[in-house]
Amino acid sequence: MDRVVLVRRGGDAVELRECDDDGAEDRVTVVPAAVLADVVREREGAAVRWVWDDTTRWYPALLEAGVRVERCWDLRLSHAVLRRSPFVDQGLLTGEDTAGWDRLQPVTAADPALFPLDDPADLLDPVAEHGRQLAALAAAAERGRLGLLLAAENSGALVAAEMTFAGLPWRADVHERLLTELLGPRPPGGSRPATLERLLTEIRGAFAAPDLNPDSPGSLLRALQASGLPVGDTRSWTLEQLEHPGIPALLEYKKLSRLLQANGWNWLDSWVREGRFRSYFLPGGVVTGRWASNGGGALSVPAQVRPAAVADDGWRFVVADVAQLEPRVLAGMSRDEAMAEAARSTDLYAGMVAAGAVATRADAKAGMLGAMYGATRGESGRMMPGLTRRYPRAIGLVEEAARAGERGEVVHTLLGRGSPVPRGRAEQPDEPGEPPDAGESAEDRDRHRRAWGRFTRNFVVQGTGAEWALCWLADLRNRLWRLGAGTVEERPHLVFFLHDEVVVHTPEHLAGEVVAAVHRAAAEAGRLLFGAFPVDFPLDVAVVGSWADAG
DNA sequence: CGTACAGGTCTA
DNA sequence: TATCTAGACCTGTACG
């Protein structure tokens, strides 16, 4: 397949350097930046992979011009994967501007306007970096897996930009009605809404604290203790355990205050424009390979405000999520036949009960969460011996990951994403990590070592789960494109992705085909990661008018 | 007066 | 007897 490396030449020209999959260069052309979108649109007719320093620096402008690309190679994201992967000979990846690629950050909501001469990306040579990456991949152990990871990561970069471009349909009028019903009318100048004022008066009376500000944890804690309540913190969960006439009003205040602060009128003003909530998704933003987000708290949109996410007239949302993704991924990556058998049922935890591994569904859930998060005590910890007997390969895999982390070793996901090197173990001379703290006791060191073991234990499962989800997303993106005609936002398109859940915005008459596509993409993701090994990934899928109506 | 951190709450 | 993974982001408060 042809590859075209895009290189900025000053503010108003772009160099196109053609090469093949080995990086051997063919010809070079220079075009004015103003016609780049037309050039890309024309070349998209044939198979081509666009190679660029960073998708967030190139793709938004193409999408604005109505151009969608099929494939890219994001040097920033690929660099980050290759730099950490234990499959890679790091010597092949090292060049004089490696530190610059290490530091390169995506363009996000916080700094949308980088001027050409201020952008650190302009100091980097994409052609040289591309060559190093191809050489590193070609020589890698497990080249096939690592190649799949890079393909999925690069496809995710395109999805992320397309989701920000399209935006999640959001009805400000529905959201405002919800706020007014719960909080009262929008008060002027950011003062407290009527409902909060009323609750505040009640709380101050109940705790005999006329100046109490419940938004100040310190003064709230002192007021509670002065009323004789035996509390050490002011979390809602703690307060729910208490018997006191002021508690219900306080809990209600905290809940509504949180709504106001996180998703109130200010949020609407900041993040909703022209009927769309536009946040920035950051592929690879979490070390495990999960996405992070930036702007509007897209990864924690409360269920409370989801009624305001409403599909356009004549359109629907297809909302799909995977049931128990991570235990299923663990069954597949450890090739644990017994756990895969439990995963054959729609409810994996019920499957574990049916197999006699645990007594109840609650035990199954607590035990699996404990196995993946590293609980050794309490409810979850008690399940571990039984699970280990019944599922030795699955439990053995996470246990080994934990032991490796405790020894300070790097662990990796199925496709080869590597865990960070623990502090104090970094080998780069310019990044010595934290020097050993002379004041740290043996107990502290032991606690840190076990905490790092819990992190690496979770890393292999959460990270491989993220790889499954990326493959699902990438395959779904291609299927959705083939279902319609026109630009991205005229066809069925992804508008939201959160670890194991997707939301597709689709013309109503295509909803049935989108549902089928979501299922087929999930089956394909399982095949890509686990081949013929029989582990199922059943989906909960809903066709709805509002996001709140799913699930 | 701006930055850093603590505490809290939402997400999977 | 037992709160254990990964994030974003708000306010209040301490600090330089």
Side-chain angles (χ1 to χ4, degrees), chain A residues 1-3 43-49 71:
Chain A
M1 182 188 309
D2 289 340
R3 288 171 176 251
R43 285 295 299 268
E44 273 291 310
V48 59
R49 186 178 297 276
R71 298 175 195 84

Side-chain angles (χ1 to χ4, degrees), chain A residues 234-251:
Chain A
T234 62
R235 295 187 194 101
S236 290
W237 190 88
T238 305
L239 303 184
E240 278 167 20
Q241 320 296 311
L242 303 173
E243 285 289 336
H244 186 282
I247 291 294
L250 180 54
L251 288 171

Side-chain angles (χ1 to χ4, degrees), chain A residues 490-532:
Chain A
E490 290 166 345
R491 308 188 191 208
H493 57 278
L494 286 150
V495 289
F496 196 79
F497 168 60
L498 180 52
H499 310 324
D500 62 1
E501 176 181 8
V502 296
V503 181
V504 176
H505 193 215
T506 179
E508 189 156 20
H509 71 280
L510 293 174
E513 291 181 66
V514 170
V515 170
V518 167
H519 284 293
R520 290 198 187 104
E524 177 65 8
R527 196 191 61 75
L528 282 170
L529 260 71
F530 307 116

Side-chain angles (χ1 to χ4, degrees), chain A residues 409-424:
Chain A
E409 295 166 10
V410 165
V411 297
H412 65 83
T413 59
L414 181 68
L415 298 185
R417 194 186 300 266
S419 64
V421 175
R423 299 195 319 166

Side-chain angles (χ1 to χ4, degrees), chain A residues 58-412:
Chain A
W58 291 91
Y59 199 25
L62 294 175
L63 288 165
E64 287 293 341
V67 178
R68 181 259 193 190
V69 310
E70 178 96 22
R71 298 175 195 84
C72 79
W73 185 281
D74 182 304
L75 292 165
R76 177 179 66 83
L77 288 171
S78 300
H79 178 89
V81 168
L82 293 168
R83 281 284 270 168
R84 281 244 170 98
S85 178
F87 296 166
V88 169
D89 173 355
Q90 292 298 321
L92 294 172
L93 203 59
T94 307
E96 60 184 37
D97 55 3
T98 293
W101 288 100
D102 287 346
R103 278 194 300 269
L104 190 61
Q105 294 295 314
V107 176
T108 63
D111 54 354
L114 283 171
F115 293 99
L117 297 175
D118 290 337
D119 189 342
D122 293 340
L123 301 174
L124 303 171
D125 178 353
V127 174
E129 174 65 16
H130 182 226
R132 289 192 293 269
Q133 293 188 6
L134 289 177
L137 177 61
E142 301 288 357
R143 184 191 168 174
R145 288 185 187 184
L146 196 55
L148 175 58
L149 174 54
L150 292 179
E153 189 84 343
N154 285 319
S155 190
L158 298 175
V159 172
E162 288 164 7
M163 290 200 306
T164 298
F165 171 70
L168 178 62
W170 201 272
R171 286 272 299 273
D173 59 323
V174 173
H175 192 143
E176 279 169 354
R177 200 182 323 132
L178 188 148
L179 292 175
T180 304
E181 280 167 12
L182 292 168
L183 295 164
R186 180 176 196 170
S191 54
R192 275 198 185 85
T195 308
L196 286 179
E197 278 296 351
R198 188 163 45 68
L199 289 164
L200 180 61
T201 305
E202 196 178 330
I203 292 162
R204 286 173 171 170
F207 292 102
D211 298 323
L212 175 62
N213 175 12
D215 295 318
S216 165
S219 71
L220 178 57
L221 185 61
R222 282 189 294 277
L224 293 171
Q225 289 169 343
S227 298
L229 292 169
V231 286
D233 62 68
T234 62
R235 295 187 194 101
S236 290
W237 190 88
T238 305
L239 303 184
E240 278 167 20
Q241 320 296 311
L242 303 173
E243 285 289 336
H244 186 282
I247 291 294
L250 180 54
L251 288 171
E252 183 68 6
Y253 180 97
K254 285 170 86 77
K255 192 173 162 210
L256 292 177
S257 173
R258 161 78 189 179
L259 171 66
L260 173 67
Q261 288 167 358
N263 297 98
W265 292 279
N266 289 344
W267 182 89
L268 269 172
D269 289 347
S270 303
W271 300 111
V272 178
R273 286 266 186 292
E274 293 161 356
R276 295 290 187 266
F277 167 34
R278 285 200 171 75
S279 57
Y280 291 74
F281 293 88
L282 306 176
V286 179
V287 285
T288 57
R290 277 187 170 184
W291 289 17
S293 79
N294 174 267
L299 267 46
S300 51
V301 178
Q304 207 177 12
V305 299
R306 292 186 187 189
V310 177
D312 290 351
D313 285 343
W315 289 61
R316 304 286 275 170
F317 287 140
V318 174
V319 182
D321 70 276
V322 200
Q324 306 131 359
L325 173 61
E326 287 173 1
R328 291 171 192 278
V329 161
L330 175 57
M333 66 192 297
S334 64
R335 306 191 95 74
D336 189 310
E337 306 268 359
M339 182 156 284
E341 175 61 33
R344 207 89 70 235
S345 77
T346 311
D347 181 353
L348 176 138
Y349 300 136
M352 291 169 65
V353 176
V358 287
T360 67
R361 188 179 184 283
D363 284 352
K365 186 173 181 177
M368 285 310 297
L369 289 177
M372 294 183 297
Y373 291 161
T376 54
R377 302 172 300 198
E379 190 89 10
S380 311
R382 269 207 311 285
M383 300 296 150
M384 294 307 297
L387 291 181
T388 305
R389 261 196 312 282
R390 194 71 179 73
Y391 306 112
R393 295 184 68 119
I395 302 301
L397 188 146
V398 288
E399 286 294 328
E400 178 44 41
R403 299 294 91 78
E406 289 172 1
R407 292 192 296 267
E409 295 166 10
V410 165
V411 297
H412 65 83

